[in-house]
Amino acid sequence: MRKLQFYLGLALVGLVVSAALVSLVWTPYDPLQVVPADRLLGPSPAHPFGTDGFGIDIASRLLVGARYCLLVGIVSVTLAALVGVPLGILAGQVGGWVSEVVMRLTDIVYALPALLLAILLAAIFGGSTLTAMAAIGVATVPAFARTARAGTLQVMAADYVLAARACGTRGVALAARHIWPNIAALAGVQASIGFAMAILAEAALGYLGLGTPRPTPTWGTMLRDSQEFLFTAPLQALWPGLAIAVAVLGFNLLGDGIRDLTDPRLREAS
Amino acid sequence: MAAKALRRLGVFAVCLLGASLVVFLISNWLPGDVAQVMLGTDATPEALARVRAELGLDQPLWLRYFAWIGGLLTGNLGTSPLSHYPVWELLAPRVAVTLWLVVLGIGLSILIALPLGMYAALRRRHLGGFAVSGLAQIGMAVPVFWGGILLALVFAVWLRWLPANGYVPLTRDPAGWAAHLALPVLTLGLVQAAVLVRYVRSAFVEVLHEDYLRTARAIGWSEFRALLRHGVRNAAISLVTVVGLQLAAALVGAIVVEQVFTLPGIGSLLLDAVSKRDLVVVQATVMLLVLAVLAINYRVDVSYLLIDPRQRSRGAAPEGRA
């Protein structure tokens, strides 16, 4: 039963990843080519999801949209993990004022949610894939730092760490040999859930018109465009939202699945 | 206890100062060019000079920061150099809209999530509990704006029961006010409830494993009665953190929901200012929202002391599951 969650998550994530990979070599139609004669077609064998307000095949745009969803997720989560995890381990390992400073820094960043930070950046630099990735990445750092710190504190209390320290292992060697391997699964869970949050934030930015600019197809901007035709072509609003939900559900399930498989204590509670 | 509350007030002040510095530095990233950004590339040199003088861009960065923060503390949020209105006057009529949306949305989410989460915890090994958890998992994956669009599709386009956009003040037309807020509040409430259900469930599952609950069961109480008498207060400690985080998330979610239903709230003012590149308004509005988030977190920290007597004497507040 527990593995079901993991495998379901893996399957949904696999679906999104393969959509992105397929879009690199093949899409049914050109995702940028405007065809005025084909405006707002309903689903048909030629266009399984119909066409949008510019007459562009929605299936092709959905496939390419998967690329941007994954790109923003990968870059922002990697950035956040590379900064957050070492900071968290440092805070947990050294403690004292170092921990205090790190925790207060995470408090400050927590007060600036990804969306707000991205809006601020977009006001200065104009909205782009880069500002979206930067804002989401920075806003995700505290989650990694806090998770890593909590995990480190737990590991530091274990007997094997005491033994290692008695043998003279400390500092970076201790972190690399004993702490990191024991909190890696925790970081993996955080990465997967952070990925889901990043997809939601990227889509919201696209919807607000502050993410990757047109004409690049992203799921968020597709939904923004679809709202114009809510009364005439309501199906337009269905597909991009469904795509976002599938991707987010996939990464959330994957994260929960990893947690359940690696941490038996949390099985009941989560 | 007073010392602890005071310490948390100190932390709040430090965070506020740090966050204001971050917001200020980002918005002043381009030294001297803020006027150019606001007026665009075709601005006349005279207009540029006027805006630069208005914003005090000829002064050093640290002086401008203190002038800005001093203004914030005395309630002077600056004047928009584009519309020439004081920012406070732009914000005032919009605060109520956003507040109604957030407060009613969170209220609705608690009303939905508390009973559902308790049910899912009590029936966690049964189909019913499993179904609630599954629904919550799906609800969490729905982006708030898509949820809003779908609700508008059903209730405004197909059923024609409720308006899909616009706003009427409560004082002018209470019925119209309720009709216009119904879909936005439902959107925000449902999406937040999906997240909240999971936390309510795990908080109660944890409590169900406690010894005092087993004792209560052993003296013949039903699981439900034991949960109501002993469980709720204990679960409340972790739930207060989550509702605090949810409030902050709802504030950001409101920006998006306002956009879906074209509500004239703080979020739409912010986005409008972003598209016009009115950095004075953007900076002030972002800072106001940051202040709200920090104030909520501070309230959460202090409320631990009130709910949980154990916190008053030992240990730190429990870490929120981020």
Side-chain angles (χ1 to χ4, degrees), chain B residues 87-119:
Chain B
V87 177
W88 183 241
E89 265 180 46
L90 294 171
L91 271 168
R94 293 163 173 271
V95 170
V97 183
T98 304
L99 270 186
W100 278 124
L101 177 58
V102 169
V103 170
L104 293 175
I106 283 288
L108 179 67
S109 77
I110 294 173
L111 279 182
I112 298 171
L114 211 55
L116 273 182
M118 276 178 77
Y119 173 80

PDB file of all heavy atoms in Angstrom, chain B residues 87-119:
ATOM      1  N   VAL B  87       0.708  56.793  -1.262  1.00  0.00           N
ATOM      2  CA  VAL B  87       0.485  55.346  -1.340  1.00  0.00           C
ATOM      3  C   VAL B  87      -0.612  54.936  -0.372  1.00  0.00           C
ATOM      4  O   VAL B  87      -1.429  54.064  -0.657  1.00  0.00           O
ATOM      5  CB  VAL B  87       1.790  54.579  -1.033  1.00  0.00           C
ATOM      6  CG1 VAL B  87       1.540  53.087  -1.030  1.00  0.00           C
ATOM      7  CG2 VAL B  87       2.856  54.938  -2.048  1.00  0.00           C
ATOM      8  N   TRP B  88      -0.639  55.601   0.797  1.00  0.00           N
ATOM      9  CA  TRP B  88      -1.625  55.233   1.806  1.00  0.00           C
ATOM     10  C   TRP B  88      -3.058  55.398   1.278  1.00  0.00           C
ATOM     11  O   TRP B  88      -3.921  54.575   1.533  1.00  0.00           O
ATOM     12  CB  TRP B  88      -1.408  56.050   3.084  1.00  0.00           C
ATOM     13  CG  TRP B  88      -2.350  55.638   4.158  1.00  0.00           C
ATOM     14  CD1 TRP B  88      -3.284  56.412   4.755  1.00  0.00           C
ATOM     15  CD2 TRP B  88      -2.485  54.341   4.717  1.00  0.00           C
ATOM     16  NE1 TRP B  88      -3.985  55.671   5.658  1.00  0.00           N
ATOM     17  CE2 TRP B  88      -3.524  54.391   5.662  1.00  0.00           C
ATOM     18  CE3 TRP B  88      -1.828  53.120   4.513  1.00  0.00           C
ATOM     19  CZ2 TRP B  88      -3.934  53.286   6.401  1.00  0.00           C
ATOM     20  CZ3 TRP B  88      -2.221  52.009   5.242  1.00  0.00           C
ATOM     21  CH2 TRP B  88      -3.266  52.095   6.173  1.00  0.00           C
ATOM     22  N   GLU B  89      -3.271  56.466   0.492  1.00  0.00           N
ATOM     23  CA  GLU B  89      -4.605  56.684  -0.048  1.00  0.00           C
ATOM     24  C   GLU B  89      -4.972  55.636  -1.090  1.00  0.00           C
ATOM     25  O   GLU B  89      -6.146  55.289  -1.250  1.00  0.00           O
ATOM     26  CB  GLU B  89      -4.691  58.080  -0.680  1.00  0.00           C
ATOM     27  CG  GLU B  89      -5.241  59.118   0.267  1.00  0.00           C
ATOM     28  CD  GLU B  89      -5.313  60.485  -0.384  1.00  0.00           C
ATOM     29  OE1 GLU B  89      -5.784  60.575  -1.521  1.00  0.00           O
ATOM     30  OE2 GLU B  89      -4.862  61.448   0.258  1.00  0.00           O
ATOM     31  N   LEU B  90      -3.971  55.147  -1.808  1.00  0.00           N
ATOM     32  CA  LEU B  90      -4.220  54.092  -2.797  1.00  0.00           C
ATOM     33  C   LEU B  90      -4.569  52.784  -2.097  1.00  0.00           C
ATOM     34  O   LEU B  90      -5.411  52.011  -2.555  1.00  0.00           O
ATOM     35  CB  LEU B  90      -2.987  53.874  -3.676  1.00  0.00           C
ATOM     36  CG  LEU B  90      -2.592  55.028  -4.598  1.00  0.00           C
ATOM     37  CD1 LEU B  90      -1.242  54.748  -5.236  1.00  0.00           C
ATOM     38  CD2 LEU B  90      -3.645  55.227  -5.675  1.00  0.00           C
ATOM     39  N   LEU B  91      -3.888  52.559  -0.954  1.00  0.00           N
ATOM     40  CA  LEU B  91      -4.060  51.278  -0.254  1.00  0.00           C
ATOM     41  C   LEU B  91      -5.365  51.215   0.529  1.00  0.00           C
ATOM     42  O   LEU B  91      -6.044  50.189   0.542  1.00  0.00           O
ATOM     43  CB  LEU B  91      -2.896  51.065   0.718  1.00  0.00           C
ATOM     44  CG  LEU B  91      -1.657  50.366   0.179  1.00  0.00           C
ATOM     45  CD1 LEU B  91      -0.519  50.498   1.183  1.00  0.00           C
ATOM     46  CD2 LEU B  91      -1.941  48.906  -0.097  1.00  0.00           C
ATOM     47  N   ALA B  92      -5.712  52.324   1.186  1.00  0.00           N
ATOM     48  CA  ALA B  92      -6.797  52.313   2.175  1.00  0.00           C
ATOM     49  C   ALA B  92      -8.081  51.640   1.689  1.00  0.00           C
ATOM     50  O   ALA B  92      -8.612  50.764   2.382  1.00  0.00           O
ATOM     51  CB  ALA B  92      -7.069  53.730   2.657  1.00  0.00           C
ATOM     52  N   PRO B  93      -8.614  52.020   0.505  1.00  0.00           N
ATOM     53  CA  PRO B  93      -9.888  51.398   0.123  1.00  0.00           C
ATOM     54  C   PRO B  93      -9.751  49.921  -0.231  1.00  0.00           C
ATOM     55  O   PRO B  93     -10.771  49.225  -0.338  1.00  0.00           O
ATOM     56  CB  PRO B  93     -10.311  52.213  -1.107  1.00  0.00           C
ATOM     57  CG  PRO B  93      -9.061  52.804  -1.634  1.00  0.00           C
ATOM     58  CD  PRO B  93      -8.145  52.998  -0.471  1.00  0.00           C
ATOM     59  N   ARG B  94      -8.505  49.444  -0.415  1.00  0.00           N
ATOM     60  CA  ARG B  94      -8.316  48.066  -0.882  1.00  0.00           C
ATOM     61  C   ARG B  94      -8.057  47.081   0.247  1.00  0.00           C
ATOM     62  O   ARG B  94      -8.234  45.872   0.073  1.00  0.00           O
ATOM     63  CB  ARG B  94      -7.140  48.013  -1.856  1.00  0.00           C
ATOM     64  CG  ARG B  94      -7.452  48.759  -3.137  1.00  0.00           C
ATOM     65  CD  ARG B  94      -6.184  49.058  -3.899  1.00  0.00           C
ATOM     66  NE  ARG B  94      -6.475  49.636  -5.200  1.00  0.00           N
ATOM     67  CZ  ARG B  94      -6.664  48.922  -6.290  1.00  0.00           C
ATOM     68  NH1 ARG B  94      -6.608  47.611  -6.231  1.00  0.00           N
ATOM     69  NH2 ARG B  94      -6.928  49.502  -7.436  1.00  0.00           N
ATOM     70  N   VAL B  95      -7.613  47.619   1.395  1.00  0.00           N
ATOM     71  CA  VAL B  95      -7.262  46.721   2.498  1.00  0.00           C
ATOM     72  C   VAL B  95      -8.458  45.872   2.908  1.00  0.00           C
ATOM     73  O   VAL B  95      -8.337  44.659   3.115  1.00  0.00           O
ATOM     74  CB  VAL B  95      -6.731  47.539   3.700  1.00  0.00           C
ATOM     75  CG1 VAL B  95      -6.592  46.647   4.928  1.00  0.00           C
ATOM     76  CG2 VAL B  95      -5.394  48.165   3.356  1.00  0.00           C
ATOM     77  N   ALA B  96      -9.648  46.503   2.976  1.00  0.00           N
ATOM     78  CA  ALA B  96     -10.837  45.781   3.428  1.00  0.00           C
ATOM     79  C   ALA B  96     -11.131  44.590   2.522  1.00  0.00           C
ATOM     80  O   ALA B  96     -11.442  43.499   3.006  1.00  0.00           O
ATOM     81  CB  ALA B  96     -12.036  46.726   3.463  1.00  0.00           C
ATOM     82  N   VAL B  97     -11.016  44.781   1.203  1.00  0.00           N
ATOM     83  CA  VAL B  97     -11.316  43.704   0.252  1.00  0.00           C
ATOM     84  C   VAL B  97     -10.441  42.485   0.522  1.00  0.00           C
ATOM     85  O   VAL B  97     -10.930  41.352   0.655  1.00  0.00           O
ATOM     86  CB  VAL B  97     -11.084  44.195  -1.201  1.00  0.00           C
ATOM     87  CG1 VAL B  97     -11.462  43.110  -2.183  1.00  0.00           C
ATOM     88  CG2 VAL B  97     -11.857  45.468  -1.465  1.00  0.00           C
ATOM     89  N   THR B  98      -9.116  42.735   0.631  1.00  0.00           N
ATOM     90  CA  THR B  98      -8.192  41.627   0.843  1.00  0.00           C
ATOM     91  C   THR B  98      -8.415  40.980   2.209  1.00  0.00           C
ATOM     92  O   THR B  98      -8.368  39.755   2.339  1.00  0.00           O
ATOM     93  CB  THR B  98      -6.742  42.126   0.708  1.00  0.00           C
ATOM     94  OG1 THR B  98      -6.604  42.742  -0.565  1.00  0.00           O
ATOM     95  CG2 THR B  98      -5.756  40.980   0.824  1.00  0.00           C
ATOM     96  N   LEU B  99      -8.660  41.822   3.215  1.00  0.00           N
ATOM     97  CA  LEU B  99      -8.876  41.280   4.561  1.00  0.00           C
ATOM     98  C   LEU B  99     -10.100  40.362   4.598  1.00  0.00           C
ATOM     99  O   LEU B  99     -10.045  39.267   5.155  1.00  0.00           O
ATOM    100  CB  LEU B  99      -9.044  42.414   5.573  1.00  0.00           C
ATOM    101  CG  LEU B  99      -7.763  42.912   6.227  1.00  0.00           C
ATOM    102  CD1 LEU B  99      -8.091  43.933   7.302  1.00  0.00           C
ATOM    103  CD2 LEU B  99      -6.973  41.753   6.838  1.00  0.00           C
ATOM    104  N   TRP B 100     -11.209  40.832   3.999  1.00  0.00           N
ATOM    105  CA  TRP B 100     -12.405  39.997   3.955  1.00  0.00           C
ATOM    106  C   TRP B 100     -12.090  38.659   3.297  1.00  0.00           C
ATOM    107  O   TRP B 100     -12.445  37.596   3.813  1.00  0.00           O
ATOM    108  CB  TRP B 100     -13.525  40.681   3.170  1.00  0.00           C
ATOM    109  CG  TRP B 100     -14.324  41.697   3.935  1.00  0.00           C
ATOM    110  CD1 TRP B 100     -14.520  43.002   3.581  1.00  0.00           C
ATOM    111  CD2 TRP B 100     -15.039  41.502   5.167  1.00  0.00           C
ATOM    112  NE1 TRP B 100     -15.306  43.625   4.519  1.00  0.00           N
ATOM    113  CE2 TRP B 100     -15.637  42.737   5.504  1.00  0.00           C
ATOM    114  CE3 TRP B 100     -15.210  40.411   6.017  1.00  0.00           C
ATOM    115  CZ2 TRP B 100     -16.417  42.902   6.645  1.00  0.00           C
ATOM    116  CZ3 TRP B 100     -15.978  40.574   7.163  1.00  0.00           C
ATOM    117  CH2 TRP B 100     -16.558  41.800   7.460  1.00  0.00           C
ATOM    118  N   LEU B 101     -11.412  38.735   2.154  1.00  0.00           N
ATOM    119  CA  LEU B 101     -11.094  37.528   1.389  1.00  0.00           C
ATOM    120  C   LEU B 101     -10.270  36.551   2.217  1.00  0.00           C
ATOM    121  O   LEU B 101     -10.592  35.364   2.324  1.00  0.00           O
ATOM    122  CB  LEU B 101     -10.356  37.937   0.105  1.00  0.00           C
ATOM    123  CG  LEU B 101      -9.867  36.810  -0.796  1.00  0.00           C
ATOM    124  CD1 LEU B 101     -11.019  35.936  -1.227  1.00  0.00           C
ATOM    125  CD2 LEU B 101      -9.159  37.389  -2.022  1.00  0.00           C
ATOM    126  N   VAL B 102      -9.211  37.061   2.853  1.00  0.00           N
ATOM    127  CA  VAL B 102      -8.301  36.190   3.594  1.00  0.00           C
ATOM    128  C   VAL B 102      -8.981  35.626   4.847  1.00  0.00           C
ATOM    129  O   VAL B 102      -8.933  34.422   5.108  1.00  0.00           O
ATOM    130  CB  VAL B 102      -7.013  36.952   3.970  1.00  0.00           C
ATOM    131  CG1 VAL B 102      -6.178  36.154   4.955  1.00  0.00           C
ATOM    132  CG2 VAL B 102      -6.207  37.265   2.723  1.00  0.00           C
ATOM    133  N   VAL B 103      -9.646  36.511   5.614  1.00  0.00           N
ATOM    134  CA  VAL B 103     -10.237  36.065   6.873  1.00  0.00           C
ATOM    135  C   VAL B 103     -11.370  35.065   6.628  1.00  0.00           C
ATOM    136  O   VAL B 103     -11.423  33.995   7.249  1.00  0.00           O
ATOM    137  CB  VAL B 103     -10.751  37.283   7.684  1.00  0.00           C
ATOM    138  CG1 VAL B 103     -11.587  36.825   8.862  1.00  0.00           C
ATOM    139  CG2 VAL B 103      -9.580  38.122   8.161  1.00  0.00           C
ATOM    140  N   LEU B 104     -12.257  35.378   5.692  1.00  0.00           N
ATOM    141  CA  LEU B 104     -13.360  34.460   5.399  1.00  0.00           C
ATOM    142  C   LEU B 104     -12.828  33.170   4.781  1.00  0.00           C
ATOM    143  O   LEU B 104     -13.311  32.077   5.082  1.00  0.00           O
ATOM    144  CB  LEU B 104     -14.379  35.117   4.466  1.00  0.00           C
ATOM    145  CG  LEU B 104     -15.160  36.295   5.058  1.00  0.00           C
ATOM    146  CD1 LEU B 104     -16.053  36.931   4.011  1.00  0.00           C
ATOM    147  CD2 LEU B 104     -15.987  35.833   6.257  1.00  0.00           C
ATOM    148  N   GLY B 105     -11.814  33.289   3.917  1.00  0.00           N
ATOM    149  CA  GLY B 105     -11.232  32.103   3.279  1.00  0.00           C
ATOM    150  C   GLY B 105     -10.627  31.162   4.309  1.00  0.00           C
ATOM    151  O   GLY B 105     -10.858  29.948   4.288  1.00  0.00           O
ATOM    152  N   ILE B 106      -9.828  31.716   5.233  1.00  0.00           N
ATOM    153  CA  ILE B 106      -9.207  30.888   6.273  1.00  0.00           C
ATOM    154  C   ILE B 106     -10.276  30.296   7.185  1.00  0.00           C
ATOM    155  O   ILE B 106     -10.234  29.121   7.555  1.00  0.00           O
ATOM    156  CB  ILE B 106      -8.199  31.723   7.096  1.00  0.00           C
ATOM    157  CG1 ILE B 106      -6.911  31.916   6.309  1.00  0.00           C
ATOM    158  CG2 ILE B 106      -7.891  31.059   8.423  1.00  0.00           C
ATOM    159  CD1 ILE B 106      -6.075  30.674   6.186  1.00  0.00           C
ATOM    160  N   GLY B 107     -11.275  31.124   7.532  1.00  0.00           N
ATOM    161  CA  GLY B 107     -12.369  30.627   8.374  1.00  0.00           C
ATOM    162  C   GLY B 107     -13.048  29.440   7.737  1.00  0.00           C
ATOM    163  O   GLY B 107     -13.269  28.400   8.363  1.00  0.00           O
ATOM    164  N   LEU B 108     -13.359  29.562   6.449  1.00  0.00           N
ATOM    165  CA  LEU B 108     -14.006  28.477   5.717  1.00  0.00           C
ATOM    166  C   LEU B 108     -13.116  27.231   5.697  1.00  0.00           C
ATOM    167  O   LEU B 108     -13.593  26.111   5.915  1.00  0.00           O
ATOM    168  CB  LEU B 108     -14.318  28.924   4.284  1.00  0.00           C
ATOM    169  CG  LEU B 108     -14.981  27.884   3.403  1.00  0.00           C
ATOM    170  CD1 LEU B 108     -16.381  27.590   3.914  1.00  0.00           C
ATOM    171  CD2 LEU B 108     -15.031  28.347   1.951  1.00  0.00           C
ATOM    172  N   SER B 109     -11.806  27.443   5.484  1.00  0.00           N
ATOM    173  CA  SER B 109     -10.907  26.291   5.391  1.00  0.00           C
ATOM    174  C   SER B 109     -10.838  25.555   6.724  1.00  0.00           C
ATOM    175  O   SER B 109     -10.771  24.326   6.761  1.00  0.00           O
ATOM    176  CB  SER B 109      -9.521  26.726   4.916  1.00  0.00           C
ATOM    177  OG  SER B 109      -8.805  27.323   5.965  1.00  0.00           O
ATOM    178  N   ILE B 110     -10.881  26.306   7.840  1.00  0.00           N
ATOM    179  CA  ILE B 110     -10.867  25.645   9.150  1.00  0.00           C
ATOM    180  C   ILE B 110     -12.168  24.870   9.363  1.00  0.00           C
ATOM    181  O   ILE B 110     -12.153  23.723   9.836  1.00  0.00           O
ATOM    182  CB  ILE B 110     -10.651  26.678  10.275  1.00  0.00           C
ATOM    183  CG1 ILE B 110      -9.252  27.289  10.173  1.00  0.00           C
ATOM    184  CG2 ILE B 110     -10.824  26.032  11.649  1.00  0.00           C
ATOM    185  CD1 ILE B 110      -9.001  28.432  11.122  1.00  0.00           C
ATOM    186  N   LEU B 111     -13.282  25.482   8.972  1.00  0.00           N
ATOM    187  CA  LEU B 111     -14.585  24.814   9.114  1.00  0.00           C
ATOM    188  C   LEU B 111     -14.628  23.509   8.323  1.00  0.00           C
ATOM    189  O   LEU B 111     -15.250  22.529   8.735  1.00  0.00           O
ATOM    190  CB  LEU B 111     -15.705  25.737   8.616  1.00  0.00           C
ATOM    191  CG  LEU B 111     -16.185  26.800   9.582  1.00  0.00           C
ATOM    192  CD1 LEU B 111     -17.329  27.599   8.973  1.00  0.00           C
ATOM    193  CD2 LEU B 111     -16.641  26.155  10.897  1.00  0.00           C
ATOM    194  N   ILE B 112     -13.971  23.490   7.165  1.00  0.00           N
ATOM    195  CA  ILE B 112     -13.955  22.277   6.353  1.00  0.00           C
ATOM    196  C   ILE B 112     -12.948  21.277   6.899  1.00  0.00           C
ATOM    197  O   ILE B 112     -13.235  20.091   7.048  1.00  0.00           O
ATOM    198  CB  ILE B 112     -13.592  22.608   4.883  1.00  0.00           C
ATOM    199  CG1 ILE B 112     -14.632  23.540   4.271  1.00  0.00           C
ATOM    200  CG2 ILE B 112     -13.466  21.334   4.053  1.00  0.00           C
ATOM    201  CD1 ILE B 112     -14.232  24.075   2.908  1.00  0.00           C
ATOM    202  N   ALA B 113     -11.737  21.786   7.221  1.00  0.00           N
ATOM    203  CA  ALA B 113     -10.612  20.885   7.485  1.00  0.00           C
ATOM    204  C   ALA B 113     -10.684  20.233   8.870  1.00  0.00           C
ATOM    205  O   ALA B 113     -10.269  19.090   9.030  1.00  0.00           O
ATOM    206  CB  ALA B 113      -9.302  21.646   7.331  1.00  0.00           C
ATOM    207  N   LEU B 114     -11.205  20.942   9.859  1.00  0.00           N
ATOM    208  CA  LEU B 114     -11.179  20.402  11.220  1.00  0.00           C
ATOM    209  C   LEU B 114     -12.004  19.121  11.330  1.00  0.00           C
ATOM    210  O   LEU B 114     -11.475  18.079  11.741  1.00  0.00           O
ATOM    211  CB  LEU B 114     -11.644  21.479  12.211  1.00  0.00           C
ATOM    212  CG  LEU B 114     -11.020  21.400  13.597  1.00  0.00           C
ATOM    213  CD1 LEU B 114      -9.502  21.417  13.518  1.00  0.00           C
ATOM    214  CD2 LEU B 114     -11.514  22.538  14.472  1.00  0.00           C
ATOM    215  N   PRO B 115     -13.290  19.150  10.948  1.00  0.00           N
ATOM    216  CA  PRO B 115     -14.059  17.898  11.039  1.00  0.00           C
ATOM    217  C   PRO B 115     -13.530  16.808  10.102  1.00  0.00           C
ATOM    218  O   PRO B 115     -13.419  15.647  10.509  1.00  0.00           O
ATOM    219  CB  PRO B 115     -15.480  18.310  10.645  1.00  0.00           C
ATOM    220  CG  PRO B 115     -15.402  19.683  10.131  1.00  0.00           C
ATOM    221  CD  PRO B 115     -14.122  20.293  10.544  1.00  0.00           C
ATOM    222  N   LEU B 116     -13.156  17.193   8.879  1.00  0.00           N
ATOM    223  CA  LEU B 116     -12.662  16.193   7.920  1.00  0.00           C
ATOM    224  C   LEU B 116     -11.360  15.553   8.414  1.00  0.00           C
ATOM    225  O   LEU B 116     -11.179  14.341   8.316  1.00  0.00           O
ATOM    226  CB  LEU B 116     -12.435  16.825   6.549  1.00  0.00           C
ATOM    227  CG  LEU B 116     -13.638  16.881   5.606  1.00  0.00           C
ATOM    228  CD1 LEU B 116     -13.228  17.495   4.282  1.00  0.00           C
ATOM    229  CD2 LEU B 116     -14.201  15.489   5.384  1.00  0.00           C
ATOM    230  N   GLY B 117     -10.457  16.396   8.948  1.00  0.00           N
ATOM    231  CA  GLY B 117      -9.175  15.899   9.425  1.00  0.00           C
ATOM    232  C   GLY B 117      -9.354  14.968  10.622  1.00  0.00           C
ATOM    233  O   GLY B 117      -8.696  13.925  10.731  1.00  0.00           O
ATOM    234  N   MET B 118     -10.260  15.344  11.555  1.00  0.00           N
ATOM    235  CA  MET B 118     -10.519  14.493  12.720  1.00  0.00           C
ATOM    236  C   MET B 118     -11.110  13.159  12.269  1.00  0.00           C
ATOM    237  O   MET B 118     -10.736  12.096  12.765  1.00  0.00           O
ATOM    238  CB  MET B 118     -11.483  15.200  13.680  1.00  0.00           C
ATOM    239  CG  MET B 118     -10.780  16.164  14.614  1.00  0.00           C
ATOM    240  SD  MET B 118     -11.951  17.026  15.690  1.00  0.00           S
ATOM    241  CE  MET B 118     -12.314  15.764  16.895  1.00  0.00           C
ATOM    242  N   TYR B 119     -12.040  13.242  11.307  1.00  0.00           N
ATOM    243  CA  TYR B 119     -12.659  12.032  10.777  1.00  0.00           C
ATOM    244  C   TYR B 119     -11.598  11.130  10.157  1.00  0.00           C
ATOM    245  O   TYR B 119     -11.544   9.922  10.431  1.00  0.00           O
ATOM    246  CB  TYR B 119     -13.713  12.409   9.738  1.00  0.00           C
ATOM    247  CG  TYR B 119     -14.306  11.237   9.003  1.00  0.00           C
ATOM    248  CD1 TYR B 119     -15.299  10.455   9.575  1.00  0.00           C
ATOM    249  CD2 TYR B 119     -13.853  10.919   7.719  1.00  0.00           C
ATOM    250  CE1 TYR B 119     -15.829   9.376   8.895  1.00  0.00           C
ATOM    251  CE2 TYR B 119     -14.383   9.836   7.039  1.00  0.00           C
ATOM    252  CZ  TYR B 119     -15.369   9.067   7.630  1.00  0.00           C
ATOM    253  OH  TYR B 119     -15.893   8.003   6.949  1.00  0.00           O
TER     254      TYR B 119
END
